[in-house]
């Protein structure tokens, strides 16, 4: 047996704050998966997949939806359906579609990203309007606008709905399709106490993830008009996303949408607690008021001690988090981490940073 050094080792399971994707299926999900009624979904004969798609479409306020293996595939299916090669896609420069989807829009759809900076990850109507190209034949054409809600790398920030509505009106006016990367739209929905369907209303299509805070082991959905989904079906198959007895996965997704949305509020409360505790640690910086949902990004301000060093030390104490760069650490709350574990993670964080600062001071006053 290991000697008990930190909270993680004391409980013997790491406190995993790297992402809400690490959530494991609940007992209810495992039961539903075991009992799922299935068929060949490439023939559209899997009743559980169809039920999931109907429920997702209803919750997102769209005509139809399609089950896809990942959020990346859902986004890239939408990019492919809405655009033609050579067009430009307006997006925020820290967005997932631009940074974490390996240039798929260029590689698969032949379109160019047009990254724009938005405060807190949120583009405003004026910025988007200025970036839309005039319809002159020798100019690159704007093929699509995408927004992200909540914004992952801006720290789980909620996209201001009036701005989304304004950009949606602009897009309709100009005849440009608009897609929402709503990987965590249900976090925004719960935080605002507004239906996800209302948040998705300005958008032609929306993607959301079942496998993050909602806890399903695999899967996302993309939703939109019926003819969009017909095209999306073809593009999904082309990308290798045609799945056969996928009802075993969709069954978990159904439980996720039915049972796990409201409880996201607990993750938000835990994230706020984490942020407040971090704000109280000398040598770390965060404005806890900026933490709106389940993502906490803080800055390490200790001489000679990087975010990577901190993540390494935290891991020794049984807490896992992601260093985003030399300065910033991201911690994400989810249902596999409870309030007690958040407190214990903060306690060890406080000890680590105080220890490093003390060692730095002693070195500084040395001979
Ligand atoms: C997680 C995530 C996705 C999809 O990621 P996959 O790992 O492909 O499921 C898309 N957008 C955002 C903002 C995300 O956080």
């Amino acid at each position: 047996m290991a000697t008990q050094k930190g909270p993680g080792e004391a409980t013997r399971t790491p406190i995993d704050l790297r992402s809400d994707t690490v959530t494991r299926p609940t007992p209810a999900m495992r039961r539903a998966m075991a009992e799922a009624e299935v068929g060949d979904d490439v023939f559209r004969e899997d009743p559980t997949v169809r039920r999931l798609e109907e429920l997702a479409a209803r919750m997102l306020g769209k005509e139809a939806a399609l089950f896809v293996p990942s959020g990346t595939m859902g986004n890239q299916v939408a990019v492919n359906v809405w655009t033609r090669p050579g067009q430009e896609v307006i997006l925020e420069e820290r967005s997932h579609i631009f940074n974490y989807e390996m240039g798929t829009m260029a590689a698969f759809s032949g379109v160019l990203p047009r990254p724009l900076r938005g405060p807190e990850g949120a583009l405003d109507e004026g910025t988007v309007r200025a970036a839309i190209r005039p319809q002159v034949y020798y100019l690159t054409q704007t093929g699509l606008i995408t927004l992200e809600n909540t914004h992952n790398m801006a720290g789980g920030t909620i996209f201001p709905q009036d701005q989304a509505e304004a950009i949606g009106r602009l897009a309709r006016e100009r005849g440009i399709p608009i897609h929402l990367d709503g990987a965590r739209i249900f976090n925004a929905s719960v935080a605002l106490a507004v239906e996800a369907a209302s948040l998705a209303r300005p958008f032609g299509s929306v993607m959301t993830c079942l496998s993050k805070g909602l806890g399903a082991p695999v899967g996302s959905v993309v939703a939109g008009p019926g003819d969009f989904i017909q095209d999306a079906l073809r593009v999904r198959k082309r990308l290798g996303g045609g799945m056969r007895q996928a009802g075993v996965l969709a069954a978990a997704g159904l439980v996720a949408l039915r049972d796990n949305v409201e409880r996201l509020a607990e993750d938000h409360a835990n994230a706020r607690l984490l942020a407040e505790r971090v704000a109280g640690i000398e040598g770390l910086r965060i404005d806890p008021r900026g933490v709106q949902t389940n993502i906490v990004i803080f800055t390490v301000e200790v001489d000679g001690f990087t975010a990577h060093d901190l993540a390494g030390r935290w891991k020794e104490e049984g807490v896992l988090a992601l260093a985003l760069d030399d300065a910033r650490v991201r911690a994400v709350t989810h249902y596999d981490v409870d309030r007690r574990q958040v407190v214990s993670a903060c306690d060890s964080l406080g000890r680590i940073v105080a220890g490093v600062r003390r060692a730095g001071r002693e070195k500084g006053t040395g001979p």
Side-chain angles (χ1 to χ4, degrees):
M1 262 239 209
T3 51
Q4 294 193 351
K5 283 195 298 194
E9 286 177 41
T11 57
R12 299 188 60 81
T13 39
I15 299 172
D16 196 343
L17 301 170
R18 288 171 301 167
S19 175
D20 45 10
T21 56
V22 301
T23 45
R24 277 154 301 197
T26 60
M29 281 178 187
R30 289 181 185 272
R31 272 196 305 279
M33 292 171 79
E35 291 161 9
E37 204 188 328
V38 297
D40 189 330
D41 182 54
V42 173
F43 295 144
R44 304 301 274 153
E45 286 170 2
D46 189 302
T48 309
V49 170
R50 300 311 289 265
R51 273 200 291 278
L52 171 68
E53 290 171 344
E54 279 160 27
L55 177 63
R58 197 157 63 240
M59 291 173 78
L60 295 168
K62 302 296 177 203
E63 203 180 338
L66 188 68
F67 185 46
V68 287
S70 71
T72 297
M73 190 183 289
N75 282 333
Q76 295 302 328
V77 161
V79 168
N80 190 269
V81 170
W82 289 126
T83 62
R84 294 173 51 194
Q87 291 182 327
E88 201 168 66
V89 176
I90 290 177
L91 39 74
E92 206 276 332
E93 67 179 21
R94 287 167 293 168
S95 65
H96 194 280
I97 292 187
F98 182 41
N99 294 282
Y100 301 98
E101 300 187 6
M102 299 142 291
T104 302
M105 68 165 64
F108 181 68
S109 298
V111 291
L112 294 81
R114 176 78 183 274
L116 306 172
R117 179 81 175 183
E120 319 285 302
L123 296 176
D124 61 43
E125 195 259 7
T127 306
V128 174
R129 184 181 286 274
I132 294 174
R133 308 276 198 165
Q135 291 195 353
V136 176
Y137 85 91
Y138 52 78
L139 291 178
T140 305
Q141 289 301 296
T142 306
L144 176 67
I145 299 165
T146 71
L147 306 179
E148 186 172 312
N149 192 13
T150 63
H151 196 298
N152 186 342
M153 282 302 139
T157 47
I158 297 170
F159 202 102
Q161 192 59 14
D162 53 341
Q163 272 169 241
E165 302 273 0
I167 296 171
R169 278 193 299 275
L170 171 66
R172 276 192 300 283
E173 209 176 274
R174 300 294 180 87
I176 298 168
I178 179 165
H179 169 76
L180 178 65
D181 177 350
R184 294 187 181 81
I185 194 174
F186 289 105
N187 291 87
S189 159
V190 166
L192 295 169
V194 169
E195 301 272 318
S198 303
L199 301 180
R201 198 163 39 218
F203 301 88
S205 59
V206 52
M207 184 286 290
T208 196
C209 292
L210 306 167
S211 64
K212 293 193 167 158
L214 300 184
V218 177
S220 295
V221 288
V222 59
D227 53 353
F228 166 88
I229 293 298
Q230 280 312 307
D231 288 342
L233 195 55
R234 182 176 44 78
V235 176
R236 181 187 70 172
K237 187 73 171 74
R238 188 180 267 173
L239 279 167
M243 298 178 286
R244 302 296 176 172
Q245 285 70 37
V248 290
L249 299 174
L254 276 165
V255 175
L257 287 178
R258 282 179 191 148
D259 298 352
N260 292 357
V261 172
E262 291 308 319
R263 65 146 309 284
L264 292 172
E266 294 168 32
D267 302 342
H268 300 171
N270 285 337
R272 217 142 38 228
L273 172 66
L274 177 67
E276 281 159 11
R277 294 287 300 267
V278 168
I281 298 173
E282 197 116 20
L284 302 180
R285 186 167 52 84
I286 187 171
D287 179 357
R289 287 167 307 183
V291 175
Q292 301 171 345
T293 56
N294 70 328
I295 299 178
V296 179
I297 296 177
F298 60 87
T299 306
V300 183
E301 294 181 332
V302 180
D303 277 345
F305 189 65
T306 67
H308 297 280
D309 297 333
L310 187 147
R313 291 287 303 277
W314 219 4
K315 186 175 178 182
E316 289 168 15
E317 303 273 332
V319 182
L320 307 180
L322 281 186
L324 298 178
D325 50 38
D326 278 352
R328 293 176 310 146
V329 174
R330 189 187 76 164
V332 183
T333 56
H334 52 77
Y335 75 61
D336 276 342
V337 173
D338 61 22
R339 186 181 169 85
R340 187 186 52 79
Q341 289 173 305
V342 167
V343 169
S344 136
C346 292
D347 289 344
S348 76
L349 186 61
R351 278 195 305 275
I352 291 166
V353 176
V356 172
R357 281 165 49 85
R358 202 179 316 113
R361 274 196 307 275
E362 282 162 8
K363 221 166 87 193
T365 56

